[in-house]
Amino acid sequence: MVEKNLEKKQIQEIADIFTGLPITRYKKYPNLTKKSVLSVVKSDDERNHVLFKSELLPEEIVEKESFEKYFLKNNDIIFKTQSPNHIFYNKRKNIKEIIVPSAYIIIRIKEENYNKINPEYLSEILKSNVVKRQLNKYSEGKRSIMRLS
């Protein structure tokens, strides 16, 4: 039975959605330092598998607040833009400066919606077959790259 007072909302209304950092753009800068970068997100029926790699990136990325949004945070949902579109829900609180690259979309629940939306539940909805079918409609090319719009 569905509650009558539930309201339908688009994901943009409840979360900030943005592409990760285009890392290759910054590899030519001076003062490079090693940073952890999200490398692979794979899912099986039971678990998510996340791998990280070290990349040389400019120190400014770590120091500037404008780049802060690209660091993995607790309760982030990470969505791979290329097929297969794996989804990872980050429930670890002690993540240390891991940068999400542009091969992924970051879905971050807005602060005003934390008491209304469970990010883990949202990530499970995004993994559903209904959502996968919808995403396939909007994917393009041989590698099925999903676009944000």
Side-chain angles (χ1 to χ4, degrees), residues 18 35-36 61-64 67-73 76 95-100 106 108:
F18 49 94
K35 288 293 159 202
S36 292
I61 287 178
V62 178
E63 295 169 1
K64 285 188 179 178
F67 290 101
E68 185 181 337
K69 74 177 191 175
Y70 299 112
F71 288 94
L72 188 61
K73 295 186 179 9
D76 278 355
I95 293 280
K96 294 181 183 173
E97 294 189 346
I98 296 169
I99 297 171
V100 179
I106 302 166
R108 189 170 289 152

Side-chain angles (χ1 to χ4, degrees), residues 15-69:
D16 292 320
I17 305 169
F18 49 94
T19 306
L21 182 70
I23 290 172
T24 53
R25 181 182 299 167
Y26 298 99
K27 288 186 175 183
K28 297 174 186 171
Y29 281 60
N31 300 327
L32 298 178
T33 184
K34 278 190 177 184
K35 288 293 159 202
S36 292
V37 175
L38 183 70
S39 176
V40 178
V41 174
K42 293 183 180 178
S43 301
D44 57 28
D45 292 338
E46 301 291 318
R47 294 178 255 148
N48 285 305
H49 305 283
V50 181
L51 302 174
F52 306 101
K53 65 181 176 183
S54 288
E55 292 268 355
L56 288 172
L57 295 170
E59 290 176 12
E60 298 97 47
I61 287 178
V62 178
E63 295 169 1
K64 285 188 179 178
E65 286 183 27
S66 59
F67 290 101
E68 185 181 337
K69 74 177 191 175

Side-chain angles (χ1 to χ4, degrees), residues 118-135:
N118 180 335
E120 190 168 12
Y121 179 71
L122 178 59
S123 74
E124 291 302 317
I125 290 172
L126 293 171
K127 292 178 188 177
S128 73
N129 288 331
V130 173
V131 173
K132 285 179 185 177
R133 282 193 297 272
Q134 289 294 316
L135 290 174

Side-chain angles (χ1 to χ4, degrees), residues 84-97:
N85 302 106
H86 296 296
I87 296 173
F88 166 68
Y89 168 67
N90 180 40
K91 55 185 164 191
R92 291 179 252 167
K93 293 183 182 187
N94 57 351
I95 293 280
K96 294 181 183 173
E97 294 189 346

